[in-house]
Amino acid sequence: MFDHADPDLAGFREEAVAWIKANFPSALTGKSPTPFITDGALADSDPDYQAWLKRVVSKGWGAPTWPEEYGGGGLTQAHSVIIHEELARVGAFHPNHTYGEMMLGPTLLEYGDEVQKRRFIPPIARAEVRWCQGFSEPGAGSDLASLQTKCVDGGDHWIVTGQKIWTSGANHSHWCFCLVRTDTTTKHGGISFLLIDMSSPGIEARPIYLISGSTHFCEVFFNDVKVPKENMVGGLNKGWPIAKRLLQFERDSLASGRAEAPSLAPLAKQYLGVNALGQIADPDVRHRVVRNAMRARAYAHTMRRAALEAKTNAGVSAAVSALKNLGSDIAQERADLAVEILGHNGLGWEGDHFAAAEIEATRAWLHSRAFSIYGGSLEIQNNITAKRVLGLPG
Protein backbone atom coordinates (compact mmCIF):
# COMPACT_ATOMS: atom_id res chain seq x y z
CA MET A 1 0.00 0.00 0.00
CA PHE A 2 1.26 3.50 -0.67
CA ASP A 3 1.42 6.14 2.03
CA HIS A 4 -1.61 8.43 1.78
CA ALA A 5 0.23 10.96 3.96
CA ASP A 6 3.12 11.20 1.49
CA PRO A 7 3.22 14.95 0.69
CA ASP A 8 4.32 14.31 -2.90
CA LEU A 9 1.39 11.99 -3.54
CA ALA A 10 -1.00 14.32 -1.74
CA GLY A 11 0.18 17.15 -3.97
CA PHE A 12 -0.19 15.00 -7.05
CA ARG A 13 -3.74 14.09 -6.01
CA GLU A 14 -4.62 17.78 -5.68
CA GLU A 15 -3.17 18.41 -9.13
CA ALA A 16 -5.08 15.46 -10.58
CA VAL A 17 -8.38 16.58 -9.05
CA ALA A 18 -8.00 20.09 -10.41
CA TRP A 19 -6.92 18.95 -13.86
CA ILE A 20 -9.75 16.43 -14.23
CA LYS A 21 -12.28 19.03 -13.09
CA ALA A 22 -11.00 21.49 -15.70
CA ASN A 23 -10.70 19.05 -18.59
CA PHE A 24 -13.19 16.16 -18.35
CA PRO A 25 -16.22 16.82 -20.60
CA SER A 26 -19.36 16.77 -18.45
CA ALA A 27 -21.26 15.07 -21.29
CA LEU A 28 -19.25 11.90 -20.63
CA THR A 29 -20.00 11.77 -16.89
CA GLY A 30 -21.12 8.33 -15.76
CA LYS A 31 -20.66 6.78 -19.21
CA SER A 32 -18.91 3.47 -19.69
CA PRO A 33 -15.64 3.59 -21.66
CA THR A 34 -16.34 0.16 -23.17
CA PRO A 35 -18.31 1.33 -26.26
CA PHE A 36 -15.57 3.80 -27.16
CA ILE A 37 -12.82 1.24 -26.68
CA THR A 38 -14.52 -1.53 -28.64
CA ASP A 39 -16.19 0.55 -31.36
CA GLY A 40 -13.65 2.59 -33.28
CA ALA A 41 -16.33 4.26 -35.42
CA LEU A 42 -18.13 5.51 -32.31
CA ALA A 43 -14.88 6.71 -30.76
CA ASP A 44 -13.90 8.61 -33.90
CA SER A 45 -17.30 10.28 -34.27
CA ASP A 46 -17.85 11.43 -30.66
CA PRO A 47 -16.41 14.95 -30.22
CA ASP A 48 -16.47 14.79 -26.41
CA TYR A 49 -14.57 11.52 -26.34
CA GLN A 50 -12.05 12.80 -28.89
CA ALA A 51 -11.50 16.00 -26.91
CA TRP A 52 -11.02 14.03 -23.68
CA LEU A 53 -8.61 11.60 -25.34
CA LYS A 54 -6.46 14.39 -26.76
CA ARG A 55 -6.31 16.20 -23.41
CA VAL A 56 -5.27 13.05 -21.53
CA VAL A 57 -2.57 12.22 -24.08
CA SER A 58 -1.29 15.80 -24.07
CA LYS A 59 -1.11 15.65 -20.29
CA GLY A 60 1.18 12.61 -20.58
CA TRP A 61 -1.35 10.29 -19.02
CA GLY A 62 -1.97 8.20 -22.13
CA ALA A 63 0.15 5.47 -20.52
CA PRO A 64 1.10 7.07 -17.22
CA THR A 65 3.48 4.42 -15.85
CA TRP A 66 5.36 3.52 -19.02
CA PRO A 67 8.94 4.80 -19.39
CA GLU A 68 9.19 8.27 -20.90
CA GLU A 69 11.65 7.00 -23.53
CA TYR A 70 8.79 4.95 -25.02
CA GLY A 71 6.20 7.72 -24.83
CA GLY A 72 4.90 6.96 -21.34
CA GLY A 73 4.34 9.36 -18.48
CA GLY A 74 7.15 7.98 -16.30
CA LEU A 75 4.90 8.02 -13.23
CA THR A 76 4.77 5.41 -10.48
CA GLN A 77 2.02 2.87 -9.89
CA ALA A 78 0.87 4.95 -6.92
CA HIS A 79 0.39 7.96 -9.21
CA SER A 80 -1.58 5.81 -11.64
CA VAL A 81 -3.82 4.56 -8.85
CA ILE A 82 -4.53 8.13 -7.81
CA ILE A 83 -5.42 9.13 -11.37
CA HIS A 84 -7.89 6.27 -11.69
CA GLU A 85 -9.35 6.91 -8.22
CA GLU A 86 -10.00 10.55 -8.98
CA LEU A 87 -11.44 9.76 -12.39
CA ALA A 88 -13.86 7.27 -10.83
CA ARG A 89 -14.79 9.72 -8.08
CA VAL A 90 -16.37 12.11 -10.61
CA GLY A 91 -17.79 9.47 -12.97
CA ALA A 92 -14.95 9.86 -15.47
CA PHE A 93 -12.83 7.21 -17.19
CA HIS A 94 -9.41 6.80 -18.76
CA PRO A 95 -9.98 7.14 -22.53
CA ASN A 96 -6.85 5.27 -23.62
CA HIS A 97 -7.55 2.11 -21.61
CA THR A 98 -7.47 0.10 -24.83
CA TYR A 99 -6.19 -3.34 -25.77
CA GLY A 100 -2.91 -1.76 -26.81
CA GLU A 101 -2.50 0.09 -23.52
CA MET A 102 -3.90 -2.67 -21.30
CA MET A 103 -2.24 -5.70 -22.85
CA LEU A 104 0.23 -5.28 -25.70
CA GLY A 105 2.20 -2.32 -24.37
CA PRO A 106 3.25 -3.87 -21.04
CA THR A 107 3.92 -7.19 -22.80
CA LEU A 108 6.20 -5.57 -25.39
CA LEU A 109 8.04 -3.74 -22.62
CA GLU A 110 9.00 -7.16 -21.25
CA TYR A 111 9.39 -9.30 -24.38
CA GLY A 112 9.86 -6.96 -27.35
CA ASP A 113 13.27 -6.16 -28.81
CA GLU A 114 14.43 -2.57 -28.84
CA VAL A 115 13.31 -1.95 -32.42
CA GLN A 116 9.82 -3.30 -31.66
CA LYS A 117 9.54 -1.22 -28.49
CA ARG A 118 10.46 2.03 -30.22
CA ARG A 119 8.24 1.31 -33.21
CA PHE A 120 5.05 0.07 -31.55
CA ILE A 121 4.84 1.39 -27.98
CA PRO A 122 4.89 5.21 -28.41
CA PRO A 123 1.90 5.23 -30.86
CA ILE A 124 -0.11 3.31 -28.25
CA ALA A 125 0.73 5.87 -25.57
CA ARG A 126 -0.33 8.62 -27.99
CA ALA A 127 -3.58 6.78 -28.81
CA GLU A 128 -2.73 6.82 -32.51
CA VAL A 129 -3.16 3.10 -33.22
CA ARG A 130 -5.95 0.67 -32.31
CA TRP A 131 -5.00 -2.95 -31.61
CA CYS A 132 -7.11 -6.11 -31.45
CA GLN A 133 -6.30 -9.49 -29.90
CA GLY A 134 -6.10 -12.51 -32.22
CA PHE A 135 -6.16 -15.32 -29.67
CA SER A 136 -9.49 -17.25 -29.64
CA GLU A 137 -10.39 -19.63 -32.44
CA PRO A 138 -13.58 -21.59 -33.23
CA GLY A 139 -11.90 -24.84 -32.13
CA ALA A 140 -9.73 -23.41 -29.37
CA GLY A 141 -11.75 -21.35 -26.92
CA SER A 142 -11.15 -22.48 -23.36
CA ASP A 143 -8.13 -24.53 -24.45
CA LEU A 144 -6.28 -21.65 -26.08
CA ALA A 145 -3.14 -23.69 -26.78
CA SER A 146 -5.14 -25.84 -29.23
CA LEU A 147 -5.12 -22.98 -31.74
CA GLN A 148 -4.55 -23.98 -35.36
CA THR A 149 -4.02 -20.75 -37.29
CA LYS A 150 -1.01 -21.71 -39.36
CA CYS A 151 2.14 -19.66 -39.85
CA VAL A 152 4.82 -20.94 -42.23
CA ASP A 153 8.12 -19.55 -43.41
CA GLY A 154 7.73 -17.78 -46.75
CA GLY A 155 11.38 -16.89 -47.16
CA ASP A 156 11.73 -13.21 -46.30
CA HIS A 157 8.31 -13.14 -44.57
CA TRP A 158 5.78 -15.29 -42.70
CA ILE A 159 2.56 -16.59 -44.30
CA VAL A 160 -0.48 -16.80 -41.98
CA THR A 161 -3.64 -18.80 -42.77
CA GLY A 162 -6.56 -19.52 -40.46
CA GLN A 163 -9.46 -18.03 -38.48
CA LYS A 164 -9.90 -16.18 -35.20
CA ILE A 165 -13.17 -15.44 -33.40
CA TRP A 166 -14.49 -13.15 -30.63
CA THR A 167 -11.92 -10.60 -31.76
CA SER A 168 -13.04 -7.33 -30.18
CA GLY A 169 -12.84 -4.31 -32.45
CA ALA A 170 -11.13 -6.14 -35.30
CA ASN A 171 -13.20 -4.27 -37.89
CA HIS A 172 -11.85 -0.93 -36.61
CA SER A 173 -8.32 -1.94 -35.61
CA HIS A 174 -5.11 -0.99 -37.34
CA TRP A 175 -3.05 -3.89 -35.94
CA CYS A 176 -3.55 -7.31 -34.34
CA PHE A 177 -1.36 -9.11 -31.80
CA CYS A 178 -1.88 -12.70 -32.77
CA LEU A 179 -0.98 -16.24 -31.69
CA VAL A 180 -0.11 -18.58 -34.55
CA ARG A 181 0.98 -22.19 -34.82
CA THR A 182 4.51 -22.54 -36.16
CA ASP A 183 5.12 -26.15 -35.09
CA THR A 184 2.46 -28.88 -35.28
CA THR A 185 4.52 -31.51 -33.43
CA THR A 186 4.19 -29.90 -30.01
CA LYS A 187 1.25 -28.09 -28.42
CA HIS A 188 2.42 -25.22 -26.22
CA GLY A 189 5.93 -25.20 -27.67
CA GLY A 190 4.70 -24.71 -31.22
CA ILE A 191 3.11 -21.28 -30.80
CA SER A 192 4.55 -17.92 -31.87
CA PHE A 193 3.48 -14.33 -31.20
CA LEU A 194 3.02 -12.11 -34.27
CA LEU A 195 2.15 -8.45 -34.82
CA ILE A 196 -0.02 -8.22 -37.95
CA ASP A 197 -1.01 -5.10 -39.90
CA MET A 198 -4.81 -5.37 -40.35
CA SER A 199 -4.57 -3.60 -43.71
CA SER A 200 -2.53 -6.50 -45.11
CA PRO A 201 -4.05 -8.22 -48.18
CA GLY A 202 -5.89 -11.43 -47.25
CA ILE A 203 -7.47 -10.27 -43.95
CA GLU A 204 -11.25 -10.12 -43.57
CA ALA A 205 -13.05 -9.05 -40.36
CA ARG A 206 -16.76 -9.91 -40.08
CA PRO A 207 -18.70 -8.28 -37.17
CA ILE A 208 -20.86 -10.50 -34.91
CA TYR A 209 -24.14 -8.99 -33.60
CA LEU A 210 -24.59 -9.39 -29.83
CA ILE A 211 -27.64 -9.41 -27.54
CA SER A 212 -26.71 -5.92 -26.30
CA GLY A 213 -27.02 -4.56 -29.84
CA SER A 214 -23.30 -3.92 -30.18
CA THR A 215 -21.11 -5.52 -32.84
CA HIS A 216 -17.67 -5.18 -31.38
CA PHE A 217 -16.90 -8.91 -31.66
CA CYS A 218 -15.67 -10.15 -35.02
CA GLU A 219 -14.63 -13.25 -36.89
CA VAL A 220 -11.27 -12.66 -38.55
CA PHE A 221 -10.04 -14.67 -41.51
CA PHE A 222 -6.39 -14.81 -42.57
CA ASN A 223 -5.92 -16.01 -46.12
CA ASP A 224 -2.20 -16.41 -46.92
CA VAL A 225 -1.38 -13.12 -45.21
CA LYS A 226 2.24 -12.00 -45.54
CA VAL A 227 3.82 -10.73 -42.31
CA PRO A 228 7.35 -9.28 -42.10
CA LYS A 229 9.81 -11.48 -40.20
CA GLU A 230 10.67 -8.63 -37.81
CA ASN A 231 7.07 -8.63 -36.50
CA MET A 232 7.54 -11.84 -34.51
CA VAL A 233 7.97 -11.16 -30.78
CA GLY A 234 10.22 -13.31 -28.61
CA GLY A 235 11.38 -15.68 -31.34
CA LEU A 236 10.07 -18.71 -33.20
CA ASN A 237 7.93 -21.07 -31.06
CA LYS A 238 8.42 -18.82 -28.03
CA GLY A 239 4.91 -17.38 -28.00
CA TRP A 240 3.20 -19.33 -25.22
CA PRO A 241 4.97 -17.69 -22.23
CA ILE A 242 4.32 -14.30 -23.85
CA ALA A 243 0.64 -15.17 -24.29
CA LYS A 244 0.29 -16.20 -20.66
CA ARG A 245 1.90 -12.98 -19.51
CA LEU A 246 -0.35 -10.90 -21.76
CA LEU A 247 -3.44 -12.73 -20.44
CA GLN A 248 -2.37 -11.83 -16.92
CA PHE A 249 -2.23 -8.18 -17.95
CA GLU A 250 -5.67 -8.56 -19.55
CA ARG A 251 -7.22 -10.06 -16.41
CA ASP A 252 -5.52 -7.49 -14.24
CA SER A 253 -6.97 -4.69 -16.37
CA LEU A 254 -10.42 -6.26 -16.47
CA ALA A 255 -10.34 -6.75 -12.71
CA SER A 256 -9.12 -3.18 -12.15
CA GLY A 257 -11.83 -1.79 -14.39
CA ARG A 258 -14.53 -3.38 -12.24
CA ALA A 259 -13.46 -1.17 -9.32
CA GLU A 260 -14.15 2.07 -11.15
CA ALA A 261 -17.93 2.51 -11.27
CA PRO A 262 -19.84 5.55 -9.96
CA SER A 263 -22.37 5.10 -7.13
CA LEU A 264 -25.92 3.92 -7.91
CA ALA A 265 -27.34 6.02 -5.06
CA PRO A 266 -28.19 9.09 -7.19
CA LEU A 267 -30.00 6.90 -9.73
CA ALA A 268 -31.94 5.11 -6.99
CA LYS A 269 -32.95 8.38 -5.34
CA GLN A 270 -34.11 9.74 -8.70
CA TYR A 271 -36.32 6.77 -9.58
CA LEU A 272 -37.38 5.48 -6.14
CA GLY A 273 -37.49 8.71 -4.17
CA VAL A 274 -36.06 9.45 -0.73
CA ASN A 275 -37.28 9.11 2.87
CA ALA A 276 -37.35 11.84 5.51
CA LEU A 277 -33.62 11.35 6.07
CA GLY A 278 -32.80 11.83 2.42
CA GLN A 279 -32.00 8.15 1.99
CA ILE A 280 -33.16 5.87 -0.82
CA ALA A 281 -36.84 5.30 0.00
CA ASP A 282 -36.93 1.54 -0.61
CA PRO A 283 -35.04 -0.05 2.34
CA ASP A 284 -34.29 -3.29 0.52
CA VAL A 285 -32.83 -1.52 -2.52
CA ARG A 286 -30.98 0.86 -0.19
CA HIS A 287 -29.41 -2.11 1.57
CA ARG A 288 -28.32 -3.73 -1.68
CA VAL A 289 -27.01 -0.50 -3.21
CA VAL A 290 -24.90 0.10 -0.10
CA ARG A 291 -23.76 -3.52 -0.05
CA ASN A 292 -22.67 -3.32 -3.68
CA ALA A 293 -20.87 -0.04 -3.02
CA MET A 294 -19.09 -1.56 -0.01
CA ARG A 295 -18.02 -4.60 -2.02
CA ALA A 296 -16.78 -2.32 -4.80
CA ARG A 297 -14.85 -0.16 -2.31
CA ALA A 298 -13.23 -3.20 -0.67
CA TYR A 299 -12.44 -4.58 -4.09
CA ALA A 300 -10.86 -1.29 -5.19
CA HIS A 301 -8.60 -1.32 -2.13
CA THR A 302 -7.63 -4.93 -2.81
CA MET A 303 -6.84 -4.11 -6.44
CA ARG A 304 -4.75 -1.15 -5.33
CA ARG A 305 -2.75 -3.38 -3.00
CA ALA A 306 -2.35 -6.08 -5.67
CA ALA A 307 -1.16 -3.52 -8.22
CA LEU A 308 1.48 -2.15 -5.89
CA GLU A 309 2.63 -5.63 -4.86
CA ALA A 310 2.89 -6.58 -8.53
CA LYS A 311 5.03 -3.52 -9.17
CA THR A 312 7.44 -4.25 -6.35
CA ASN A 313 7.58 -8.03 -6.52
CA ALA A 314 7.16 -10.56 -9.31
CA GLY A 315 4.70 -8.88 -11.60
CA VAL A 316 1.06 -9.82 -12.11
CA SER A 317 0.25 -13.01 -10.18
CA ALA A 318 -2.16 -15.88 -10.72
CA ALA A 319 -4.29 -14.36 -7.95
CA VAL A 320 -5.55 -11.99 -10.64
CA SER A 321 -7.81 -14.84 -11.83
CA ALA A 322 -9.70 -14.84 -8.53
CA LEU A 323 -9.91 -11.06 -8.60
CA LYS A 324 -11.22 -11.10 -12.17
CA ASN A 325 -14.10 -13.36 -11.10
CA LEU A 326 -14.85 -11.26 -8.02
CA GLY A 327 -14.84 -8.05 -10.04
CA SER A 328 -17.15 -9.58 -12.65
CA ASP A 329 -19.60 -10.60 -9.92
CA ILE A 330 -19.66 -7.11 -8.39
CA ALA A 331 -20.13 -5.47 -11.80
CA GLN A 332 -22.93 -7.84 -12.80
CA GLU A 333 -24.64 -7.27 -9.46
CA ARG A 334 -24.42 -3.53 -10.10
CA ALA A 335 -25.90 -3.85 -13.60
CA ASP A 336 -28.76 -5.98 -12.21
CA LEU A 337 -29.47 -3.35 -9.58
CA ALA A 338 -29.43 -0.50 -12.09
CA VAL A 339 -32.09 -2.16 -14.28
CA GLU A 340 -34.18 -3.07 -11.22
CA ILE A 341 -34.08 0.52 -10.02
CA LEU A 342 -35.29 1.75 -13.41
CA GLY A 343 -38.36 -0.52 -13.20
CA HIS A 344 -40.31 -0.56 -16.45
CA ASN A 345 -38.00 2.16 -17.72
CA GLY A 346 -35.30 -0.51 -17.68
CA LEU A 347 -37.07 -2.41 -20.46
CA GLY A 348 -36.24 0.14 -23.14
CA TRP A 349 -34.39 -0.84 -26.26
CA GLU A 350 -35.12 2.15 -28.47
CA GLY A 351 -37.77 4.83 -29.11
CA ASP A 352 -38.94 8.13 -27.62
CA HIS A 353 -40.61 6.52 -24.60
CA PHE A 354 -37.25 5.92 -22.97
CA ALA A 355 -34.47 8.33 -22.10
CA ALA A 356 -31.09 7.71 -23.70
CA ALA A 357 -29.60 6.90 -20.29
CA GLU A 358 -32.33 4.29 -19.68
CA ILE A 359 -31.67 2.59 -23.01
CA GLU A 360 -27.95 2.68 -22.32
CA ALA A 361 -28.52 1.06 -18.89
CA THR A 362 -30.56 -1.75 -20.44
CA ARG A 363 -27.92 -2.47 -23.05
CA ALA A 364 -25.17 -2.24 -20.44
CA TRP A 365 -27.04 -4.86 -18.37
CA LEU A 366 -27.19 -7.18 -21.37
CA HIS A 367 -23.50 -6.55 -22.08
CA SER A 368 -22.64 -7.30 -18.44
CA ARG A 369 -23.62 -10.96 -18.99
CA ALA A 370 -20.32 -11.30 -20.83
CA PHE A 371 -18.17 -10.10 -17.92
CA SER A 372 -17.86 -13.62 -16.51
CA ILE A 373 -17.12 -15.08 -19.96
CA TYR A 374 -14.68 -12.89 -21.85
CA GLY A 375 -11.05 -12.53 -20.85
CA GLY A 376 -11.18 -16.14 -19.65
CA SER A 377 -14.46 -17.58 -18.36
CA LEU A 378 -15.37 -17.93 -14.68
CA GLU A 379 -14.65 -21.65 -14.85
CA ILE A 380 -11.23 -21.16 -16.47
CA GLN A 381 -10.26 -18.58 -13.84
CA ASN A 382 -11.37 -20.93 -11.05
CA ASN A 383 -9.22 -23.70 -12.52
CA ILE A 384 -6.20 -21.38 -12.62
CA THR A 385 -6.81 -20.33 -9.02
CA ALA A 386 -7.18 -23.95 -7.91
CA LYS A 387 -3.95 -25.08 -9.56
CA ARG A 388 -1.61 -22.11 -9.29
CA VAL A 389 -2.76 -20.40 -6.10
CA LEU A 390 -4.18 -23.22 -3.98
CA GLY A 391 -1.94 -25.96 -5.39
CA LEU A 392 -4.79 -28.39 -5.89
CA PRO A 393 -4.20 -31.41 -8.17
CA GLY A 394 -5.15 -30.92 -11.83
Side-chain angles (χ1 to χ4, degrees), residues 277-297:
L277 299 174
Q279 301 168 325
I280 299 169
D282 186 313
D284 177 58
V285 172
R286 183 170 70 243
H287 167 77
R288 286 185 285 139
V289 166
V290 171
R291 180 179 180 275
N292 181 261
M294 290 174 62
R295 293 183 74 204
R297 177 68 64 85

Side-chain angles (χ1 to χ4, degrees), residues 1-2 76-78 304-316:
M1 298 287 287
F2 64 82
T76 68
Q77 192 68 27
R304 180 194 301 166
R305 186 181 66 191
L308 292 175
E309 288 175 350
K311 189 71 175 178
T312 56
N313 296 315
V316 183

Side-chain angles (χ1 to χ4, degrees), residues 256-394:
S256 300
R258 301 289 178 256
E260 300 167 5
S263 171
L264 284 175
L267 182 75
K269 291 179 179 179
Q270 177 186 349
Y271 279 85
L272 303 178
V274 297
N275 61 19
L277 299 174
Q279 301 168 325
I280 299 169
D282 186 313
D284 177 58
V285 172
R286 183 170 70 243
H287 167 77
R288 286 185 285 139
V289 166
V290 171
R291 180 179 180 275
N292 181 261
M294 290 174 62
R295 293 183 74 204
R297 177 68 64 85
Y299 182 71
H301 284 299
T302 302
M303 288 305 303
R304 180 194 301 166
R305 186 181 66 191
L308 292 175
E309 288 175 350
K311 189 71 175 178
T312 56
N313 296 315
V316 183
S317 76
V320 163
S321 293
L323 293 173
K324 192 262 183 182
N325 278 353
L326 178 58
S328 297
D329 182 63
I330 294 171
Q332 287 177 336
E333 179 185 64
R334 185 181 186 282
D336 293 344
L337 266 170
V339 170
E340 180 181 339
I341 289 168
L342 292 176
H344 70 273
N345 296 91
L347 300 174
W349 181 255
E350 60 185 5
D352 297 334
H353 297 296
F354 300 96
E358 294 167 345
I359 293 173
E360 185 175 331
T362 304
R363 297 191 178 206
W365 171 72
L366 290 167
H367 180 74
S368 74
R369 302 303 92 186
F371 292 168
S372 51
I373 301 173
Y374 64 53
S377 69
L378 181 144
E379 292 80 5
I380 293 295
Q381 304 310 319
N382 280 343
N383 279 338
I384 293 173
T385 301
K387 294 178 182 177
R388 299 182 189 170
V389 179
L390 301 178
L392 298 177

Side-chain angles (χ1 to χ4, degrees), residues 51-366:
W52 177 227
L53 181 61
K54 290 177 182 176
R55 291 168 189 167
V56 168
V57 169
S58 297
K59 178 67 174 173
W61 290 357
T65 63
W66 294 1
E68 291 181 278
E69 62 184 302
Y70 300 120
L75 298 175
T76 68
Q77 192 68 27
H79 290 109
S80 179
V81 169
I82 288 172
I83 292 171
H84 285 276
E85 282 181 347
E86 296 307 325
L87 288 173
R89 202 181 304 279
V90 297
F93 59 85
H94 194 288
N96 195 32
H97 209 42
T98 59
Y99 304 113
E101 192 270 346
M102 287 190 291
M103 294 180 265
L104 181 63
T107 304
L108 277 183
L109 284 172
E110 290 189 16
Y111 290 94
D113 61 34
E114 193 58 26
V115 173
Q116 291 167 340
K117 290 179 184 178
R118 294 194 178 279
R119 178 184 178 190
F120 293 108
I121 294 178
I124 297 174
R126 295 193 299 264
E128 294 173 347
V129 177
R130 276 192 289 269
W131 287 83
C132 59
Q133 179 186 33
F135 277 25
S136 296
E137 295 187 6
S142 299
D143 186 9
L144 177 60
S146 295
L147 63 91
Q148 295 298 317
T149 293
K150 182 173 63 177
C151 174
V152 298
D153 194 332
D156 61 351
H157 57 270
W158 302 107
I159 300 176
V160 178
T161 305
Q163 180 188 354
K164 300 290 179 179
I165 196 167
W166 312 126
T167 310
S168 299
N171 51 337
H172 298 296
S173 293
H174 304 101
W175 284 79
C176 176
F177 47 91
C178 191
L179 294 180
V180 293
R181 180 152 300 286
T182 40
D183 186 343
T184 58
T185 64
T186 175
K187 188 174 181 179
H188 297 85
I191 294 172
S192 298
F193 193 103
L194 273 187
L195 307 178
I196 302 178
D197 186 340
M198 290 294 284
S199 67
S200 304
I203 297 180
E204 180 184 2
R206 300 177 185 171
I208 300 171
Y209 289 85
L210 305 182
I211 190 174
S212 64
S214 68
T215 57
H216 69 273
F217 279 147
C218 293
E219 296 176 286
V220 181
F221 298 87
F222 298 91
N223 301 303
D224 296 331
V225 177
K226 293 183 178 180
V227 181
K229 287 276 179 86
E230 61 266 27
N231 289 10
M232 182 172 285
V233 179
L236 184 64
N237 298 325
K238 303 293 185 183
W240 185 243
I242 302 174
K244 289 197 297 181
R245 186 64 170 140
L246 184 142
L247 289 172
Q248 285 187 315
F249 285 123
E250 178 184 25
R251 289 158 190 162
D252 180 49
S253 295
L254 291 173
S256 300
R258 301 289 178 256
E260 300 167 5
S263 171
L264 284 175
L267 182 75
K269 291 179 179 179
Q270 177 186 349
Y271 279 85
L272 303 178
V274 297
N275 61 19
L277 299 174
Q279 301 168 325
I280 299 169
D282 186 313
D284 177 58
V285 172
R286 183 170 70 243
H287 167 77
R288 286 185 285 139
V289 166
V290 171
R291 180 179 180 275
N292 181 261
M294 290 174 62
R295 293 183 74 204
R297 177 68 64 85
Y299 182 71
H301 284 299
T302 302
M303 288 305 303
R304 180 194 301 166
R305 186 181 66 191
L308 292 175
E309 288 175 350
K311 189 71 175 178
T312 56
N313 296 315
V316 183
S317 76
V320 163
S321 293
L323 293 173
K324 192 262 183 182
N325 278 353
L326 178 58
S328 297
D329 182 63
I330 294 171
Q332 287 177 336
E333 179 185 64
R334 185 181 186 282
D336 293 344
L337 266 170
V339 170
E340 180 181 339
I341 289 168
L342 292 176
H344 70 273
N345 296 91
L347 300 174
W349 181 255
E350 60 185 5
D352 297 334
H353 297 296
F354 300 96
E358 294 167 345
I359 293 173
E360 185 175 331
T362 304
R363 297 191 178 206
W365 171 72
L366 290 167

